[in-house]
Amino acid sequence: MNFNPGAISPSDETGIARAAELLRSGGLVAMPTETVYGLAADATNDLAVAKIFAAKGRPSFNPLIAHVASLREAMALGQFSPKAKLLAQTFWPGPLTLVVHARQDCPVSLLARAGLNSLAIRIPAHNVALALLKAVKTPLAAPSANRSGHVSPTLAQHVAADLGPSVDLILDGGPCTLGVESTILSCLEDEPVLLRPGGLTRQSIEAVLQSPLAKQTQGKEQNKEDDPLLAPGLMASHYAPHAKVRLNAREGLAGEAILDFGPAMQAPSSAPRLSLSPSGNLIEASANLFAALRQLDHSGCHTIAIAPIPPHDLGEAINDRLARAAAPR
Ligand code: TXA
Ligand code: MG
């Protein structure tokens, strides 16, 4: 089997054992999760974590999520309020990241936490990621496995195209079933605050909390240097293909590539086109989103025209990503 840097490996027993060995010796491994592929390193190893920032070209003020295999391990890293614990028990493993106060003796590298006293944690709902976490027996810091600011990867091949040999091994778990990143909630105060809409819908969370979820206010004034409510990585321009992005398009213009949702929009017949979901299904659309953006980007178009996506359920996360993809760079 080929284990050269950047090689894609099957996520069988041999592949997972090799990946665990690489992680234990400070290497970088791309692992599949139910949301997107993550670029994993031993979260307790400063040098390994530094390699993540270098490989992604990621600014060091942007902290990483610590992935663990159990609630017990999560609670050894951070302090869970009763609401945080309820959410963790209800939704983990799953596409939910909780930001909590880090414990005094939290072993996660300060570099991974960008120097903050808080820590973002999640348990991924993916057999390969869980098997890897159990094999390495250490929390794994893992941002999405793309170049910083680019479209997130939902296939092993996307990781290889973005990061190549700067990753020691890419575990192939096939397409990510969910396709958008986890929902991030800050649980630093009494009431959880939504920092990033994602794969777990607001409706599911509100049903458990039995109250509406507050959203981080854009442009809110920072009153402390490490204001816990701000997700440092939520830059306006993110998830961006090379082509421009035109949102809420009702028809395609000359030279544009088309991304439909539901009924096909009018467009020149030569236009490259894909559909997020011909039947208008938001689950299917989120699973297809990032791969479709990458594929249309390769058509050489100057702009990708995207049909309106309804704002409810997974539409909240899809619209969030599209707004950032369309933001001025
Ligand atoms: O689905 C996901 O969440 C994927 C998979 C691989 O787990 N990971 C992911 O990581 O999307 P990343 O690094 O691309 O996005 C993590 C976000 C960033 O915007 C970062 O700023 C925020 O989480 N974050 C991390 N730690 C934080 C903290 N202590 N407080 C607030 N935001 C934090
Ligand atoms: Mg990311």
Side-chain angles (χ1 to χ4, degrees):
M1 207 175 293
N2 184 358
F3 282 128
N4 295 324
I8 297 180
S9 153
S11 49
D12 54 11
E13 239 175 85
T14 318
I16 289 172
R18 175 71 181 132
E21 195 180 302
L22 285 165
L23 288 167
R24 275 193 295 264
S25 55
L28 295 186
V29 168
M31 65 172 178
T33 81
E34 80 282 31
T35 58
V36 299
Y37 276 74
L39 180 61
D42 177 350
T44 66
N45 178 334
D46 290 317
L47 202 62
V49 170
K51 288 189 203 165
I52 293 183
F53 286 92
K56 279 184 62 92
R58 178 172 174 122
S60 58
F61 58 77
N62 190 1
L64 308 175
I65 299 172
H67 296 68
V68 295
S70 69
L71 182 56
R72 190 178 49 77
E73 290 165 66
M75 290 177 68
L77 304 180
Q79 294 167 281
F80 283 64
S81 66
K83 280 181 187 165
K85 195 168 172 194
L86 172 67
L87 291 166
Q89 284 168 330
T90 310
F91 294 114
W92 279 353
L96 173 67
T97 294
L98 297 173
V99 176
V100 297
H101 293 286
R103 288 196 177 280
Q104 206 69 51
D105 58 354
C106 176
V108 172
S109 150
L110 268 176
L111 185 57
R113 288 151 56 185
L116 299 175
N117 294 325
S118 58
L119 178 68
I121 313 180
R122 96 175 182 101
I123 304 181
H126 195 290
N127 289 342
V128 174
L130 289 172
L132 187 59
L133 283 162
K134 283 174 190 151
V136 276
K137 300 186 182 71
T138 176
L140 292 177
S144 52
N146 49 278
R147 292 279 308 165
S148 186
H150 193 215
V151 181
S152 295
T154 53
L155 285 175
Q157 289 74 12
H158 295 161
V159 181
D162 259 36
L163 301 176
S166 50
V167 193
D168 293 301
L169 190 72
I170 303 171
L171 281 176
D172 191 351
C176 300
T177 49
L178 207 45
V180 286
E181 297 83 352
S182 60
T183 300
I184 305 182
L185 290 186
S186 168
C187 294
L188 297 177
E189 319 267 327
D190 285 345
E191 288 307 318
V193 174
L194 180 62
L195 299 185
R196 176 176 77 179
L200 181 67
T201 64
R202 164 194 293 278
Q203 289 79 2
S204 320
I205 297 165
E206 290 177 340
V208 169
L209 294 176
Q210 297 184 312
S211 63
L213 196 54
K215 193 172 179 181
Q216 175 193 3
T217 37
Q218 284 292 324
K220 165 180 170 300
E221 277 202 28
Q222 244 172 304
N223 41 24
K224 279 179 273 163
E225 207 172 74
D226 65 340
D227 190 320
L229 291 188
L230 296 175
L234 294 187
M235 273 80 99
S237 171
H238 210 109
Y239 310 103
H242 300 288
K244 287 193 198 141
V245 170
R246 186 165 71 85
L247 302 180
N248 299 313
R250 305 281 172 181
E251 58 174 5
L253 309 174
E256 290 186 330
I258 309 302
L259 189 53
D260 283 313
F261 177 82
M265 69 176 92
Q266 290 284 345
S269 60
S270 59
R273 71 191 304 158
L274 289 172
S275 179
L276 287 175
S277 168
S279 65
N281 178 314
L282 287 167
I283 299 174
E284 184 182 25
S286 82
N288 288 331
L289 178 66
F290 291 134
L293 287 175
R294 281 177 184 260
Q295 208 178 319
L296 290 178
D297 213 14
H298 285 147
S299 72
C301 62
H302 58 72
T303 301
I304 304 175
I306 306 182
I309 312 291
H312 58 82
D313 298 303
L314 280 175
E316 185 174 9
I318 297 173
N319 280 302
D320 171 84
R321 304 304 185 270
L322 289 176
R324 291 176 207 282
R329 318 240 167 109

